[in-house]
Amino acid sequence: MRVLAAMSGGVDSAVAAARAVSAGHDVVGVHLALSAKPGTLRTGARGCCTVEDAHDARRVADILGIPFYVWDFAERFTEDVVEDFVAEYAAGRTPNPCLKCNERIKFAALLDKAIALGFDAVCTGHYARLSLVDGRPELRRSADDGKDQSYVLASLTADQLRHAMFPLGASVKADVRAEAAARGLAVAEKPDSHDICFIPDGDTRGFLDRHLGERPGELVDDETGAVLGAHAGVHGFTVGQRHGLGLRVPAPDGRPRYVLSLEPVSGSVRVGSADKLAVREIVGRRPVWPSGTSLPGELDCVAQVRAHGGTAPAIASIVDGELVVRLTGELRGVAPGQAVVLYRPDAGGDVVVGSATIALTRS
């Protein structure tokens, strides 16, 4: 096949591209310039998509003997990921920018351009397994539980997955690094990127403050309605948050308080005890089915609400076009704006059934 390898400059995408070459595909490497003003150097594992990353990707392409290009996606990335991120926080929701980047940049903008140029597939360094079963894509967790990225890929459509390649799905990270070293790739020991790529200093609240300014409001006790403090904007909080609340009054029982809900119109942040974070039902909007098949009725499944962790057995169904997930146990700190991803338990809990954006929760 003609394969476009998305090369971030890290070890995972480098080995994924190398494996595509070794498999006999006609491979072209591309690095996505996602910032109009990329930093020159990384700070350890902070940030990505820097000038240094582009150079690292080019050096890998040279060793692999494949053509290499840098494509400018900065404007699209700003509109579809960064501005969406800011708008979601302003609305009192907690978005997942990595999921949005996969959905709108790597497997929408990039894939669309690749197909238009005659490529058959886009290859990335994501840790997830992908296969065709009876002609339908089947997205599964990776062999490396600690690196699994099926959650942030679960918003991809069946058509997008038919044009995707994830060569690292059956590997663990240690083996990927060892293979990179054996192939003579200088990125073999390069640190993984952490945090949000467009917030390299890790200060999410500071980033949002700069974009949204102060939007004063009150911290309110969910049970009594008493005002416990003031804040500069609901964008500084997320459901389930415990630290950095700035409460003036300690709880009568001495136990910590948590953020229970955000009300962006009134500016109220409601706080309460940990037991009030318990969620037993999740409603998700805009459901996506990676296999191309919606739920036939009620489905016993495993629901996941965070990229790593936050899983519980559940029964899922479609009600008036929305995904309703009734948990047989409970989860805590489930934030609107994140994704709920369903996995099929009869396949060891590792096959993705579908996903949706969390709109609301019920206890």
Side-chain angles (χ1 to χ4, degrees):
M1 296 192 298
R2 291 196 69 211
V3 173
L4 186 68
M7 303 178 69
S8 67
V11 62
D12 295 329
S13 61
V15 172
R19 289 183 178 180
V21 172
S22 296
H25 299 300
D26 178 10
V27 180
V28 174
V30 62
H31 178 81
L32 302 185
L34 301 179
S35 172
K37 297 179 181 179
T40 302
L41 296 174
R42 291 160 56 99
T43 303
R46 295 285 191 183
C48 68
C49 313
T50 64
V51 171
E52 177 188 351
D53 292 318
H55 291 167
D56 287 343
R58 183 179 295 277
R59 284 190 285 269
V60 169
D62 288 343
I63 291 173
L64 298 180
I66 62 174
F68 177 82
Y69 301 92
V70 175
W71 287 357
D72 183 359
F73 277 33
E75 183 175 349
R76 181 73 180 265
F77 182 78
T78 297
E79 293 176 357
D80 288 356
V81 180
V82 180
E83 291 179 359
D84 175 85
F85 178 84
V86 173
E88 286 291 282
Y89 265 102
R93 295 185 288 268
T94 304
N96 186 314
C98 293
L99 190 151
K100 197 69 67 175
C101 182
N102 286 326
E103 175 188 337
R104 297 188 180 181
I105 303 300
K106 294 175 183 174
F107 293 96
L110 177 61
L111 179 58
D112 288 348
K113 186 170 182 177
I115 297 299
L117 291 173
F119 288 94
D120 300 301
V122 166
C123 167
T124 72
H126 286 100
Y127 283 81
R129 286 178 282 186
L130 181 62
S131 57
L132 287 177
V133 178
D134 296 328
R136 295 183 180 276
E138 184 176 85
L139 179 66
R140 300 172 60 197
R141 295 189 188 276
S142 75
D144 189 332
D145 289 338
K147 297 296 295 182
D148 175 57
Q149 292 173 294
S150 60
Y151 176 89
V152 296
L153 294 168
S155 64
L156 302 184
T157 66
D159 189 55
Q160 289 171 328
L161 288 172
R162 287 189 181 94
H163 296 284
M165 288 178 59
F166 306 133
L168 306 188
S171 301
V172 297
K173 184 64 178 244
D175 292 342
V176 171
R177 288 198 181 279
E179 181 177 335
R183 289 178 179 271
L185 305 181
V187 295
E189 297 302 322
K190 186 173 180 178
D192 291 340
S193 293
H194 296 297
D195 300 315
I196 300 168
C197 70
F198 53 86
I199 310 178
D201 63 2
D203 184 7
T204 301
R205 179 178 288 193
F207 174 86
L208 292 168
D209 285 344
R210 291 191 294 274
H211 282 75
L212 294 172
E214 286 197 7
R215 300 184 177 192
E218 296 176 334
L219 293 149
V220 179
D221 185 282
D222 187 64
E223 186 171 340
T224 67
V227 176
L228 305 178
H231 63 81
V234 297
H235 56 267
F237 303 89
T238 187
V239 171
Q241 180 178 332
R242 172 184 173 183
H243 298 289
L245 303 186
L247 300 175
R248 293 195 303 255
V249 183
D253 60 6
R255 295 180 180 179
R257 288 188 175 99
Y258 298 80
V259 174
L260 302 181
S261 64
L262 306 172
E263 301 171 2
V265 175
S266 67
S268 295
V269 175
R270 303 191 74 84
V271 300
S273 58
D275 60 294
K276 291 192 174 184
L277 286 171
V279 167
R280 292 181 175 81
E281 185 172 282
I282 298 168
V283 177
R285 293 174 182 157
R286 299 184 298 278
V288 177
W289 314 105
S291 69
T293 303
S294 179
L295 297 182
E298 288 194 342
L299 175 73
D300 289 324
C301 60
V302 174
Q304 182 168 334
V305 295
R306 287 184 286 277
H308 297 284
T311 62
I315 299 173
S317 59
I318 296 295
V319 179
D320 296 330
E322 295 182 328
L323 178 64
V324 177
V325 182
R326 301 192 306 279
L327 305 175
T328 56
E330 67 177 39
L331 289 171
R332 293 189 174 188
V334 182
Q338 292 276 27
V340 56
V341 177
L342 309 181
Y343 292 84
R344 212 171 68 214
D346 60 326
D350 68 350
V351 175
V352 175
V353 177
S355 72
T357 302
I358 298 172
L360 57 94
T361 61
R362 301 186 181 104
S363 58

